[in-house]
Amino acid sequence: MRRSTRIVAWGMAAMLAAAGCARGADPKERPSQGDTTKLIDTYKDHTDAVLAVAINPANPNEFVTGGRDKSPERDRPMMRVWNFAAGRQAYAINYLYGDPLALSYSSDGRYLLCIQDNYWDKEQGCIRYVARLTIWDARRGRVFKNLDRGEFNAPIACSFSPDVKSLAIAGLGIKIIDVYIMDPDVEKIGLKKQLIGHLAPVLSTAWAADSARIASGSMDGTVRIWNINEIVTPLLKTLVGHSNSVNSVAWSPDSNSIASGSSDKTVRLWDVNSGMLRYTMEGHTEAVTSVAFSPDGRLVFSASMDRTIRVWDVATGGCLQTLTGHDGPVEALAVSSDGKALISVSQDKTVKTWSIGKYPSAGRK
């Protein structure tokens, strides 16, 4: 059911990854920022729905996407690694078994988390329960460790802590968030803590800048804030207000706010210290699939099944711009660490790159 082909030799991929550049990349600069966000490129290399995207925090010119690509040459899905400045794909990684559902880079750019979906085994005529989270060594271009999750705990969300000492995994099978110790010594990677409290499966996790607090969004319609260092009562707050599943959560850079996107078609902005709702941002006509802050904390971006991306003013809760161009639901988005680029991926099989606007009026009440 999921097939892909290896694009280049693995050794070449490793060298390219270590160099952090595309093969034959042009030394061109990113387009200059205007007052609003503008479309730069549309990449059509994927041949099926694109499901996930992550930008390397240590090298904003490098980003990776994952989808349901198929190829007659090899029965494996793939991740595609791109160079933003060159405007093209650098190479592909296809040692996966299931579709890549979620991707997350470590803050130093060394590791890449990839969650893989279960897949249909044509030869055996049955579902194979991959339910696997793979940790890739992005610098060396090879698998660092596989964490098998089991049939009834299919992962769907993953994230590294900013200090790269922990990682969080959540899934459809159970209502628990697993926190793992992350270590350069692969033998030391192991389960550290389980966060229990959601009443339905968890769909999204995000870390605060202190690497101690986690925000989680769940099918139970709540956002919960946890502290992994608290032994007895790690649950700090439960944020209630959404009327449907919370599909995505994100912390503001100063960790004072959380944005959440829901199947109730809204984006909500929460005050972390008080637990109070600051704004309900309405405008999307279908479920919100992904949210992200700009690095300066002035903007929130939201992607939706309605095929649009919206840009919101954090200070007022108002919509600054609606980005159109995708012909299918937008599955995920990511913002570069330098605040210049927005990447979106869609069921329309495309990846779009955008130059983020300056929005001079944003941040003023």
Side-chain angles (χ1 to χ4, degrees):
M1 176 171 154
R2 284 95 163 137
R3 293 187 297 271
S4 63
T5 183
R6 190 176 182 181
I7 305 301
V8 296
W10 186 249
M12 178 63 72
M15 288 188 289
L16 289 168
C21 62
R23 181 177 51 192
D26 297 330
K28 43 183 175 175
E29 298 294 328
R30 295 180 182 219
S32 59
Q33 288 180 286
D35 288 345
T36 58
T37 297
K38 292 180 173 59
L39 179 66
I40 300 172
D41 267 321
T42 298
Y43 303 151
K44 299 181 179 180
D45 300 54
H46 282 282
T47 58
D48 208 329
V50 193
L51 306 174
V53 60
I55 303 176
N56 188 339
N59 177 13
N61 269 325
E62 181 181 275
F63 66 95
V64 61
T65 58
R68 294 198 177 107
D69 290 44
K70 299 178 181 179
S71 170
E73 290 87 3
R74 190 176 176 90
D75 191 19
R76 294 285 181 89
M78 67 171 69
M79 297 185 292
R80 297 178 186 266
V81 182
W82 309 81
N83 184 278
F84 182 87
R88 59 174 173 260
Q89 180 178 299
Y91 58 92
I93 299 171
N94 51 13
Y95 278 80
L96 307 181
Y97 285 90
D99 293 340
L101 298 178
L103 299 165
S104 176
Y105 269 108
S106 60
S107 60
D108 58 7
R110 178 173 178 179
Y111 303 107
L112 175 67
L113 289 174
C114 175
I115 283 178
Q116 300 172 58
D117 194 9
N118 302 321
Y119 73 102
W120 179 258
D121 188 323
K122 289 197 308 178
E123 294 181 0
Q124 299 296 321
C126 63
I127 290 286
R128 291 294 183 186
Y129 294 100
V130 178
R132 171 177 288 177
L133 185 140
T134 299
I135 306 173
W136 296 88
D137 186 328
R139 294 177 181 173
R140 298 182 180 180
R142 67 187 185 189
V143 174
F144 184 70
K145 186 177 180 64
N146 284 317
L147 296 173
D148 293 316
R149 307 295 298 137
E151 176 180 346
F152 301 107
N153 188 15
I156 197 170
C158 61
S159 54
F160 273 111
S161 61
D163 62 7
V164 202
K165 294 182 179 179
S166 305
L167 59 92
I169 311 170
L172 291 176
I174 57 175
K175 309 162 190 177
I176 297 171
I177 302 164
D178 288 338
V179 179
Y180 276 76
I181 296 170
M182 181 62 196
D183 196 278
D185 183 347
V186 69
E187 299 300 324
K188 294 181 180 179
I189 298 174
L191 185 64
K192 176 180 181 178
K193 197 178 195 68
Q194 290 188 313
L195 305 176
I196 302 172
H198 277 294
L199 304 179
V202 179
L203 304 179
S204 180
T205 62
W207 291 82
D210 59 15
S211 294
R213 290 173 294 168
I214 296 175
S216 58
S218 167
M219 292 178 71
D220 65 14
T222 69
V223 176
R224 296 184 187 237
I225 305 174
W226 316 79
N227 188 324
I228 64 170
N229 294 329
E230 293 290 337
I231 298 174
V232 180
T233 55
L235 180 61
L236 300 178
K237 289 184 175 68
T238 300
L239 311 181
V240 179
H242 283 294
S243 60
N244 210 323
S245 297
V246 179
N247 302 318
S248 182
V249 291
W251 287 84
S252 62
D254 62 8
S255 297
N256 289 327
S257 301
I258 290 173
S260 57
S262 170
S263 292
D264 67 10
K265 308 175 188 178
T266 71
V267 177
R268 294 180 187 244
L269 190 65
W270 309 86
D271 181 274
V272 170
N273 296 319
S274 67
M276 301 298 293
L277 177 66
R278 290 180 57 196
Y279 297 112
T280 298
M281 304 171 181
E282 298 178 304
H284 283 296
T285 58
E286 298 292 342
V288 179
T289 55
S290 184
V291 293
F293 277 91
S294 61
D296 61 11
R298 295 166 62 241
L299 308 173
V300 168
F301 300 88
S302 61
S304 171
M305 298 291 284
D306 67 11
R307 307 183 179 190
T308 71
I309 300 162
R310 287 184 177 250
V311 186
W312 308 90
D313 185 349
V314 169
T316 65
C319 182
L320 296 170
Q321 191 178 1
T322 300
L323 309 180
T324 60
H326 279 295
D327 294 325
V330 185
E331 287 283 345
L333 54 77
V335 177
S336 63
S337 57
D338 61 8
K340 295 181 179 179
L342 171 71
I343 315 291
S344 59
V345 299
S346 168
Q347 290 185 25
D348 66 10
K349 309 176 188 178
T350 70
V351 178
K352 291 186 183 291
T353 59
W354 312 78
S355 178
I356 296 175
K358 296 180 180 178
Y359 300 102
S361 63
R364 303 175 185 174
K365 290 188 177 181

